[in-house]
Amino acid sequence: MQITVHLSGFTPRLLRPAEQRELLSYGLGITNVVARATARADELTAEEYREGGRLLAAKTARSGPRWLAVVGVTAYRAAFGERTARVGPQERTFGDTRVWVLPNPSGLNAHWTAGTMAEEFGRLRAVARPDRRRV
């Protein structure tokens, strides 16, 4: 994920995994829909996704970001019941918070390369931070 975030222009250098909290200083926060770590997304239940979506919606309501980025269209569809969602901006909002679905950088998602994922992350960066050029 760090390489994609960097290539998209969100960060001026490639961050190490241990530096993830530094993303906040660039106006970016990343979290999972479901907190339980798994090797594959299909190891999570529909209920776990729905509960994760409910908790993420509540967290978004409390913190009030301009944009919520959800990594993984499958996770987004399962968490929010949006079966036809695609990567990109969504119609759904949480209050004033807009939603953007990003591709999952999992190795199982072979049709997205690091370059095409960085382009999609860059599209979000361009609208989320229109006042700033690439970092």
Side-chain angles (χ1 to χ4, degrees):
M1 173 83 76
Q2 287 82 3
I3 187 81
T4 303
V5 170
H6 172 63
L7 289 174
S8 71
F10 270 111
T11 62
R13 66 178 177 81
L14 181 60
L15 299 177
R16 295 184 315 272
E19 297 176 302
Q20 183 167 331
R21 290 198 57 80
E22 286 189 32
L23 290 172
L24 295 172
S25 69
Y26 301 111
L28 180 64
I30 296 176
T31 190
N32 296 318
V33 172
V34 178
R36 182 169 71 89
T38 61
R40 298 172 46 109
D42 63 3
E43 295 174 22
L44 297 170
T45 67
E47 181 53 37
E48 284 177 294
Y49 277 118
R50 284 190 298 273
E51 178 64 8
R54 188 188 67 72
L55 293 171
L56 186 55
K59 181 185 281 189
T60 300
R62 282 192 311 275
S63 60
R66 287 188 20 224
W67 285 93
L68 168 65
V70 177
V71 176
V73 70
T74 301
Y76 178 80
R77 288 173 180 161
F80 300 106
E82 300 280 342
R83 290 187 229 170
T84 60
R86 298 173 107 54
V87 168
Q90 305 300 305
E91 291 296 319
R92 173 187 290 272
T93 61
F94 295 102
D96 292 333
T97 300
R98 300 277 322 271
V99 178
W100 194 293
V101 175
L102 293 167
N104 189 333
S106 162
L108 299 174
N109 206 358
H111 63 280
W112 286 90
T113 66
T116 58
M117 281 189 283
E119 288 173 15
E120 188 61 32
F121 277 59
R123 287 181 57 218
L124 169 60
R125 181 192 45 79
V127 298
R129 297 171 50 187
D131 56 330
R132 296 184 182 171
R133 295 190 186 278
R134 292 175 63 93
V135 186

